[in-house]
Amino acid sequence: MGKRYTNPEKTTAAQKVIRRIGLWCFVFLLLFTAAYGANNRIEVSEYVCQSGDLSYSFDGFRIVHLSDLHSKTFIQDNAGIMRKIREQNPDIIVMTGDMIDCSNHTDIPASEKFIRQASEIAPVYYVFGNHENLIDKSEIEPFKAAVRECGAILLENERVQISSRTGQTISLIGMDDSSLQANLLGKLAEESGDDFQILLAHEPQYFEENYVSAGVDLVLCGHAHGGQFRIPFTHKGIWAPDQGFFPEKTEGCLRDSATGAEMIISRGLGNSAFPFRAFNHPEIVCVTLRVSG
Ligand SMILES: [Fe+2]
């Protein structure tokens, strides 16, 4: 047998290439895991809303607030997210729009299924966002019928009263996204009288101008997707529709100092045309009402 000779320079070069490929694979895997986690690991955010205008029978009333599903289906056919919603023990569930996506992944049956599953946990109140209003007319009417058929209450510029066991009430006002700038809201708020008023609306940027001036007590909304990409440790997002770069209203609770009105913004559950978010987990918001004073 003849001797085998190796070129040490060649061996070192091959090892370098293998090491580089390994490193890139590791980085890719890390990014993929982070992106998957950021888009599928659901966070529950708890808020307490205190008011002297609430009647005692609503002390401890729990609202699960969901927004911006964008036709997403979570793993195991939504089993995990429905379990998380159930664990909050909600009195009602509210959905503040864009549960359907109208871009590159419209899936109306997936949205219907999600709403049906949530309706089995607690009464669902739903308002349309900008995406529902972009769906073809031939599809939206059957969708509305399906929403109502599964027991959810679609609020199209309407007010409903929720009664406690002792007969006291709060008012829930649901505005369609296309009517947020109209003066309909003021009229509905006026009709609510002395009730504690909760507004369901899709877009947060009208807080001071429209919602506070109408006189509502608490606003629940979404639309901003938490700013899509969030800068770690800052609670700041990069971009939101209708607010542009470095938007101010993308998550959390804002308070109007003059009136005490509050607005809680959900970061939402899904994504629209741009398919992923970063450092910005899908969010279930849970609000507990408390009587103060
Ligand atoms: Fe949205």
Side-chain angles (χ1 to χ4, degrees), residues 16-134:
K16 267 187 191 167
V17 170
I18 290 166
R19 237 182 266 145
R20 232 173 246 169
I21 291 170
L23 187 70
W24 278 111
C25 286
F26 177 73
V27 170
F28 177 77
L29 200 70
L30 208 68
L31 287 175
F32 179 79
T33 309
Y36 183 83
N39 287 269
N40 290 283
R41 192 167 64 76
I42 300 154
E43 275 181 7
V44 178
S45 304
E46 287 271 357
Y47 296 91
V48 173
C49 177
Q50 286 192 314
S51 173
D53 295 335
L54 270 167
S55 48
Y56 276 94
S57 51
F58 283 97
D59 192 60
F61 192 82
R62 303 260 295 163
I63 304 167
V64 160
H65 170 207
L66 309 169
S67 198
D68 297 86
L69 178 71
H70 286 279
S71 298
K72 184 180 172 85
T73 299
F74 286 87
I75 50 166
Q76 296 171 325
D77 215 9
N78 295 326
I81 185 169
M82 291 303 150
R83 190 180 62 248
K84 281 203 173 194
I85 294 170
R86 198 173 283 110
E87 281 168 4
Q88 306 317 309
N89 200 18
D91 292 286
I92 61 169
I93 298 169
V94 301
M95 298 182 180
T96 53
D98 283 8
M99 301 307 278
I100 293 180
D101 185 75
C102 182
S103 59
N104 51 4
H105 56 269
T106 304
D107 187 347
I108 295 178
S111 306
E112 283 175 8
K113 187 173 199 173
F114 186 94
I115 295 164
R116 187 179 299 278
Q117 289 170 319
S119 299
E120 287 164 9
I121 299 172
V124 168
Y125 296 87
Y126 176 22
V127 293
F128 276 4
N130 52 314
H131 276 252
E132 282 91 347
N133 286 324
L134 289 168

Side-chain angles (χ1 to χ4, degrees), residues 223-276:
H223 188 52
H225 296 202
Q228 198 77 27
F229 299 106
R230 295 182 71 76
I231 305 162
F233 313 113
T234 66
H235 292 277
K236 296 252 179 254
I238 299 283
W239 185 86
D242 302 301
Q243 295 186 68
F245 286 100
F246 304 108
E248 293 205 337
K249 297 180 174 81
T250 64
E251 69 149 11
C253 183
L254 273 76
R255 191 168 205 273
D256 180 72
S257 55
T259 62
E262 289 184 334
M263 175 170 74
I264 296 170
I265 310 166
S266 164
R267 297 199 310 271
L269 294 165
N271 300 309
S272 185
F274 198 80
F276 73 92

